[in-house]
Structure formats: C-alpha cells, structure tokens
Amino acid sequence: MEHLPVEVIGNILSRLEGARDVVIASATCRKWREAYRKHLHTLAFNSNDWPAYCDISPILLEILITRTIFQTTGLQGLSILMDDAGEFTASTVIAWLMYTRETLRRLFYNVPTSPNVNILAICGRQKLEILAVAHNSVTGVEPNFQRFPCLKSLSLSHVSISALDLSLLLTACPKLESLELVDPEIAISDAQVTVELSSPTLKNIYVEAISLDKFILETDSIERLHLRDCALEVFELIGKGTLKYFKIDDVSVIHLDIAETVDNLEVIDVSSFTIIWTKFYQMISRSSKLRKLRLWDVTFDDYDEGIDLETIAVCFPQLNHLSLCYELRDGLMHYGLQGSSNLENVTVLELGWTVINDFFSHWVEELLKRCPNLKKIIIFGVISEAKSHEECQILAKFTSSIVRLMRKYMHVEVQFEYE
Amino acid sequence: MGSTSTKIKLRTSDQKVFEVEKAVAVQSQTIKYIYENGCPDSVIHVHSVSGDILSKILDYCKKHVNSAAGKEDISPEELYEWDANFVKVDQNTLFDLILAANCLKIESLLDLTCQTVANMIKGKRPEEIRTTFNIKNDYTIEAEEAVRRENKWAFDMLGGVGTMVIEELADDTMSKCVTNTKSRVCVIAANQIVMMRSISKLANKKSIDVYKQPQNPTTPRIKESVKQRNVGTGFIELFFHFKCKM
C-alpha cells in the first residue's frame, strides 16, 4: 500500500464517491489527505447514499458542501442529488459551478435553487460529457454562445423550458448521444403544444410524463426510443431506419408514425396500450429482423380481430423472444391461432394473464405447439386480493393442466411469476 | 503468418519471458506504445512487473479480448462474475496488480482493482482503515484534529441516525426491527435490558452498535431534534443525531 502513487490513491478515493466516506478516509494518513486534496476526480453528495443529509438544514448543507468541494482540486465529476432537501441559495450553487468549471466532465444536480439559477449557462461547458439536471429552469438558450462541444448525455427532469429553447439546446450539443426528458414543463407560445427536436447524433431517447399535441423527432442515428406515461396526439419519428429498440409503456397516442424507421428494428415492447392490430401491424411489418416482440397488458379495439400468430410467424422469422399478455376472449383466441406456421426461432416465451380464465391454458398449449425450439417459458399471473372461490378453482385447474402439459415438453424450462 | 497471430515477447523483472498474442498485449497502452514505436521483434521489458503478476494480468487481458471479439461465448453478467473472482486475492497481490495496471496503463483493470479497494474502505473509520491496510498514521495529533474539525459534519455523526425502540416488544418483532433497519446505531429503552443480549448478536452481524438508553434521556449525548417515522410494523422508529466522536 505504501508503494501506491498518490494519483492512484486519488483514483481509489474517487471510487468511494460519497463525500462523507472520502472525507473520513482522508484522515487515514497524510498521503491520503494529499490524494483527497489534489487527485480526487469524483465527489458525490447523494441522499440515497447517506439519508442524514436531509436532516441537516439547507444552510448548513450549503456550508459543508462548499467546504468539501473547495478542499479538492480538479474535480471531474460532481453529484449533488438530495431529494427533499429544501432549496439552495443561488450564489452558493454558482460558486460550486464556477469553482469546478475548468475541469468538470460530469454534473448531476437536482436541488431547486432560490432564486433560480440557469445551470446550463453557468456550469463548465468545455469538457462536460454528462449533464443531469432536475427541478431547474432553463431559459434563453443561445447556441452560438453556449455550446457543449463534448456533451454526450443530457437528462432534464422536472425542468421548465420552452419548446424552442429545447430544440435550440439540442443544436448546441453537436455530439449528443443520449437524451432523457422527464416531466418537463414546456412553456407554450401557440395554442398547440408542439415540440420538434432534431439531432443527427442522438442514439438513445427516453421521454417520460410528457403531454403534447405534437411531438416530432428527427434523428438519423437513433437506436433506442422509449416513451413512458405520455399523452400525445401526434408522435412522429423521422429517421433513416437505424432504430433497433422501440418501447412504449402506458402511453396514449392518437396518431403514431414510425413507419420509415422500422427496417432494422430488433425489439418492440408495447405495454398498457390500446392497439388496432391491423394498423399497428402495417407499421411494423417491415421489421423482418425483429428478435423480441412484447405486447403486454394491451387491449384491442372492439372491432379488432386481434393478433394472429400466422402473421407473426411469417413476417418475423428471426423472432426469438415472444411475450404476450392480453385478455383472451374466445373470438380473439381462435382467430389468433389460425394457420399452422411455426415460430421456428422462438426460444423464450412469456405469457401472462390479467384475469385468469379457462382459455389461458389452452392458449399456452397451442403456443407451445407452435414453438418447436422453445427452451424456456415464463408464466406471469395476477392474483386478485379478494381471492374468490371461483378464481381459486380456475387457478387449480390451470396448475394441473400446466403440469400435464409440461410433461410433454420436458426439455422446456418453466418459471412462474405471480403478483 | 498473418497479423492476427503476431506474438509479442515480454520479459518481466524476474527474467521470465512470456509470449502472447499482439491483440492481448496491446490492451496495455504502455506495451502498445513501445511496440508501435520501438523494435517490434525484440523482447519488451516490463521491469516493474513480476512473472506471477504478469501471468495474472495476461489472463485478464486474454479473457477480455476474447469476450469482446466474440471468440468466447460469455455474457456480460458472466464476465462481471469472472472479474469479481479475479480480484479475490490477498492484499499484496491486489496492490501489485494495481501498481502493474497503473504502470502498464490497462484502464479497465485499474478501474476494477481500484474499485475493489474502495469497496474495502467504504464504511470504515480511519483507525479501521489503517488496521486493514497496515498504514502508519503519520499525522501529528494537532494535524489530525485540524482535519476532523475542518470536516466536523462527517466525523460527528455516528452513522447519522439512531434507532430507538420505545415500545414493549416481543423478541421477534425486535429482531425484525434490527434486521430491517438501515441505521448503524440501536438504542434500547432502559427498561428492556433482557432484550439487549438476545438482539446484540444479531446487531453484531450487521455491525450495528447497541446502546442502552441512559436513565436520564436528556443527557447531552442525545440531541433534541427527533423525527418520528412510522415503519409499519406496529412500532415507531425515532431518529436522533448522536454527537459522538467517530
């Protein structure tokens, strides 16, 4: 240990991350103290790590954070994530950002400031690679003066920003690869709430809790798109067929258009959604490279005949993971099981029920027949709190039929997950 | 011979020679630089590394090169587990690995080994750290006091929160409380001395310090600020800040 150079000690202390742990460790010996003062590159004040931060008053917290940061030199990563800590004063936060400006590469900050500080305007921009800001307000973005030449990952949570500023911000980040938008407060200028974002370099996009009339994304490099808990009238994705992973979860969209981008899709994951199968299928029919399809907790339009396995088998020959969970009505099931094409490459099957009925075991049986190379099946079930006698009976019947069924498929691993 | 099977010779400080594939050896930025700028045919000396350590390092590099190139069918989780086992070595070996990874500039190995040491430090007090790694305390008393005073907040709070159980509880509820608490301190009410022995074994396993509440609860040790949080098992955890020396 004595032979380790002081920079390496600094590297080790940086991996402790939590400021309290780093400060305590620095009292071990003088070399460690020097490592802390001159060679520390990452420091974090996270209330998840040490809940006692929230028991200290904001004023005292500001003082201890200031004193700790100012003992270091050349900090590259700073994280101040305190849930329920109150507010910090603007001048103190500005001091922290200015002190670390020259060297900072990663900044995570989620405490509201009073009065509001435009973090993006003050933090060091030259070297910043990862920026995650929450409970803040962004105004007056000027891409000519405020560029983030190295920024790869941007996350804005509960941030108030105008649609225009948001799109200008993306143009100020020429290397941006990952964007996360959670519950933004989009200031509207017209009657329609429209957000149009364009970035040639974005690869991952995650959007949560956004409610807009129109949301248009233009990205030539996009690989992953995940929308969650959104209410959109129109969602349009314009791209060059680079999308590989598409996930929507508890989203309501009236007009969804990703048609041009589906050629290379490998994963489609849709949950808590109302599908008009024919329309949806038309949209994804060109995804011949699809490997995983998940339709979970989906409901079909009343007039819809539902999913049919024949189409899935024929159009997605490379499918190896299929997950289905929807209410099985008699008509739906019989329509779905028409045809005889097998799902040759499916090795993992996940089937779930939301309300158990007698059709389910029959459906499992039919699907097992159609997947000759299956290795694993996982059954997901929901058991209601008030377990009626009838429900218990159906569950018992289901259990026996599965036991009988799996005897014919001894090579298939079966797992159950109930909630 | 194609360039894919180019071999590089490495000679260690104890005169052992290792012949490895170029792709594996250039995981080390140092070796890569020497190879590209020096004589590619003669032997590269790695004076600061012994044969045993270099052998382990080459194992690491080989595993990572093979998994990245798809030559070995290993999932990211399996590789992570392999790495975790790789660093289960005695302290001296671990530090030798760190020194070698630093010298040979193998970033991923340096990250892995430094993180391992960081995990060993986390949660320990300075005295404990010194004992674990056999470090001499070269602080003068005044200097150490100055460090502690400058960062009072970190050294003052003993674990930060304490848990006090105030109800008359059955043994098993008390054990459940100790098992589930995230606190490092547990204070038992003065009238529940019988509980102390039975749960102190459980508390020891979790490194929780157990104290008996003083008869006079307003002793200077316990600050006034008390917050109540209902933890749903039928009793209430009280949180105190202890102004004790760390």
Side-chain angles (χ1 to χ4, degrees):
Chain A
M1 181 54 114
E2 314 81 62
H3 303 297
L4 291 187
V6 69
E7 308 84 50
V8 173
I9 305 280
N11 192 345
I12 295 174
L13 290 180
S14 303
R15 285 167 197 288
L16 283 172
E17 282 193 33
R20 187 166 171 266
D21 290 315
V22 175
V23 165
I24 290 174
S26 75
T28 304
C29 65
R30 284 182 17 213
K31 186 157 112 185
W32 283 39
R33 179 97 188 131
E34 194 193 331
Y36 161 61
R37 298 208 62 156
K38 305 244 170 74
H39 301 278
L40 192 70
H41 54 71
T42 309
L43 194 58
F45 299 86
N46 293 349
S47 59
N48 279 343
D49 213 20
W50 195 49
Y53 281 126
C54 299
D55 298 330
I56 305 177
S57 73
I59 303 175
L60 292 177
L61 252 185
E62 278 176 36
I63 296 176
L64 76 87
I65 294 177
T66 310
R67 292 179 88 165
T68 314
I69 294 180
F70 278 59
Q71 282 173 55
T72 66
T73 330
L75 215 53
Q76 292 175 17
L78 177 61
S79 167
I80 300 176
L81 297 171
M82 312 247 183
D83 304 319
D84 308 319
E87 278 181 351
F88 286 150
T89 44
S91 50
T92 324
V93 178
I94 292 174
W96 300 336
L97 295 174
M98 299 214 61
Y99 185 74
T100 51
R101 198 171 211 190
E102 300 296 313
T103 50
L104 206 62
R105 294 194 195 168
R106 301 173 296 273
L107 177 62
F108 302 86
Y109 182 77
N110 79 347
V111 181
T113 52
S114 154
N116 182 66
V117 167
N118 188 351
I119 306 259
L120 270 70
I122 303 184
C123 65
R125 292 188 286 274
Q126 285 309 109
K127 296 202 175 149
L128 210 56
E129 291 169 18
I130 305 178
L131 178 60
V133 168
H135 300 290
N136 201 240
S137 176
V138 177
T139 54
V141 175
E142 300 211 28
N144 292 324
F145 297 119
Q146 291 171 12
R147 290 180 72 78
F148 291 86
C150 302
L151 198 66
K152 292 222 184 98
S153 165
L154 176 64
S155 164
L156 300 171
S157 288
H158 313 283
V159 164
S160 135
I161 185 171
S162 73
L164 179 62
D165 276 336
L166 186 56
S167 78
L168 283 176
L169 185 56
L170 287 196
T171 60
C173 308
K175 288 206 182 146
L176 198 64
E177 288 179 14
S178 172
L179 176 66
E180 196 180 279
L181 270 178
V182 175
D183 197 14
E185 213 181 283
I186 310 267
I188 42 173
S189 43
D190 326 299
Q192 249 206 355
V193 189
T194 305
V195 169
E196 272 187 56
L197 300 177
S198 162
S199 164
T201 50
L202 260 184
K203 287 195 186 146
N204 296 338
I205 300 180
Y206 174 72
V207 178
E208 185 181 325
I210 197 171
S211 178
L212 300 169
D213 292 325
K214 235 176 159 191
F215 190 16
I216 302 176
L217 280 175
E218 192 178 331
T219 52
D220 287 343
S221 313
I222 189 165
E223 289 177 15
R224 287 180 68 106
L225 175 62
H226 182 176
L227 300 175
R228 189 183 178 158
D229 191 20
C230 298
L232 306 162
E233 266 193 48
V234 173
F235 177 72
E236 232 180 277
L237 182 67
I238 304 169
K240 290 211 174 108
T242 48
L243 192 63
K244 289 203 183 129
Y245 178 102
F246 177 64
K247 179 165 176 166
I248 55 178
D249 183 358
D250 199 11
V251 163
S252 93
V253 159
I254 297 179
H255 181 82
L256 175 66
D257 183 6
I258 60 166
E260 285 156 44
T261 59
V262 301
D263 293 339
N264 287 305
L265 260 180
E266 290 175 15
V267 176
I268 294 178
D269 187 333
V270 175
S271 53
S272 308
F273 194 62
T274 303
I275 297 189
I276 300 172
W277 178 243
T278 38
K279 235 175 124 189
F280 187 75
Y281 169 70
Q282 247 177 16
M283 197 174 69
I284 63 172
S285 55
R286 283 182 6 227
S287 313
S288 51
K289 296 189 189 166
L290 201 64
R291 281 191 291 109
K292 176 172 173 179
L293 177 63
R294 182 169 180 261
L295 300 168
W296 209 260
D297 247 345
V298 295
T299 47
F300 294 99
D301 204 275
D302 274 334
Y303 303 106
D304 207 352
E305 289 166 321
I307 302 170
D308 70 292
L309 291 173
E310 179 75 19
T311 318
I312 295 184
V314 166
C315 291
F316 309 123
Q318 295 189 36
L319 198 66
N320 74 8
H321 187 134
L322 180 62
S323 308
L324 298 171
C325 174
Y326 51 85
E327 203 192 319
L328 292 165
R329 300 196 296 272
D330 197 8
L332 266 187
M333 209 179 62
H334 281 121
Y335 175 77
L337 295 171
Q338 274 177 34
S340 58
S341 301
N342 283 340
L343 296 148
E344 296 291 336
N345 286 311
V346 172
T347 51
V348 179
L349 201 55
E350 286 177 336
L351 300 172
W353 79 72
T354 40
V355 177
I356 188 164
N357 58 29
D358 285 327
F359 294 123
F360 190 74
S361 29
H362 180 57
W363 193 49
V364 174
E365 191 174 348
E366 287 300 315
L367 274 160
L368 278 169
K369 281 190 208 154
R370 303 278 280 258
C371 302
N373 292 310
L374 195 65
K375 294 205 182 113
K376 186 163 160 177
I377 178 168
I378 309 174
I379 311 259
F380 289 81
V382 174
I383 317 275
S384 67
E385 292 246 346
K387 293 180 271 293
S388 69
H389 181 63
E390 200 187 314
E391 197 184 338
C392 291
Q393 270 189 326
I394 299 181
L395 191 55
K397 248 170 89 180
F398 168 71
T399 315
S400 337
S401 61
I402 288 291
V403 171
R404 275 195 301 271
L405 181 62
M406 295 318 290
R407 284 209 189 108
K408 290 190 248 171
Y409 297 94
M410 293 290 282
H411 57 282
V412 176
E413 187 191 327
V414 60
Q415 280 178 17
F416 294 87
E417 269 189 48
Y418 291 134
E419 61 174 294
Chain B
M1 293 272 119
S3 59
T4 44
S5 55
T6 316
K7 302 252 184 195
I8 298 184
K9 286 205 185 102
L10 304 168
R11 177 177 284 141
T12 65
S13 60
D14 48 355
Q15 306 305 318
K16 295 208 181 101
V17 179
F18 290 82
E19 198 173 353
V20 285
E21 277 180 29
K22 177 179 164 220
V24 174
V26 298
Q27 295 281 292
S28 150
Q29 296 297 310
T30 312
I31 294 179
K32 183 169 189 229
Y33 182 81
I34 297 176
Y35 181 76
E36 286 171 357
N37 291 295
C39 315
D41 294 319
S42 60
V43 178
I44 297 181
H45 294 270
V46 280
H47 341 262
S48 44
V49 188
S50 73
D52 293 332
I53 298 295
L54 188 64
S55 165
K56 278 195 79 88
I57 291 183
L58 292 174
D59 278 343
Y60 175 88
C61 293
K62 207 168 177 195
K63 189 84 179 177
H64 280 248
V65 165
N66 285 347
S67 97
K71 279 193 206 162
E72 229 185 277
D73 184 21
I74 180 169
S75 72
E77 296 84 27
E78 287 168 344
L79 188 63
Y80 183 81
E81 249 192 77
W82 190 90
D83 280 352
N85 283 325
F86 181 79
V87 286
K88 282 191 184 146
V89 291
D90 63 273
Q91 258 188 47
N92 284 327
T93 314
L94 185 61
F95 291 124
D96 285 336
L97 282 171
I98 294 181
L99 276 169
N102 187 43
C103 183
L104 294 173
K105 293 202 175 61
I106 307 173
E107 205 181 309
S108 61
L109 180 58
L110 188 60
D111 286 348
L112 174 65
T113 43
C114 285
Q115 185 68 60
T116 310
V117 179
N119 294 343
M120 288 160 77
I121 296 173
K122 200 172 170 79
K124 290 197 165 81
R125 301 168 194 177
E127 308 83 57
E128 291 168 334
I129 300 176
R130 288 179 202 131
T131 321
T132 310
F133 297 109
N134 207 8
I135 300 175
K136 186 167 177 289
N137 182 4
D138 55 356
Y139 274 118
T140 59
I141 299 180
E142 299 84 30
E144 191 168 347
E145 265 309 300
V147 170
R148 284 170 182 258
R149 238 181 303 120
E150 204 176 345
N151 299 289
K152 216 160 173 289
W153 64 278
F155 293 96
D156 260 2
M157 309 269 191
L158 188 75
V161 292
T163 307
M164 175 165 159
V165 178
I166 57 166
E167 312 285 301
E168 285 270 320
L169 290 180
D171 235 330
D172 57 341
T173 321
M174 179 81 88
S175 327
K176 225 189 276 178
C177 149
V178 172
T179 319
N180 292 332
T181 188
K182 288 195 179 130
S183 312
R184 283 190 62 186
V185 176
C186 182
V187 177
I188 315 275
N191 58 358
Q192 296 195 305
I193 304 173
V194 171
M195 300 299 178
M196 266 203 84
R197 248 176 264 140
S198 59
I199 67 141
S200 66
K201 201 167 153 203
L202 191 59
N204 267 336
K205 264 197 237 164
K206 280 192 74 179
S207 312
I208 301 176
D209 296 327
V210 180
Y211 293 87
K212 192 185 82 176
Q213 186 205 2
Q215 291 289 33
N216 179 3
T218 59
T219 50
R221 281 185 59 155
I222 301 175
K223 257 193 103 168
E224 272 118 51
S225 68
V226 168
K227 282 188 193 165
Q228 284 192 6
R229 275 178 225 183
N230 193 334
V231 295
T233 48
F235 70 96
I236 301 174
E237 268 188 272
L238 295 180
F239 292 85
F240 297 84
H241 291 161
F242 288 90
K243 282 285 203 185
C244 311
K245 264 223 157 141
M246 181 71 190

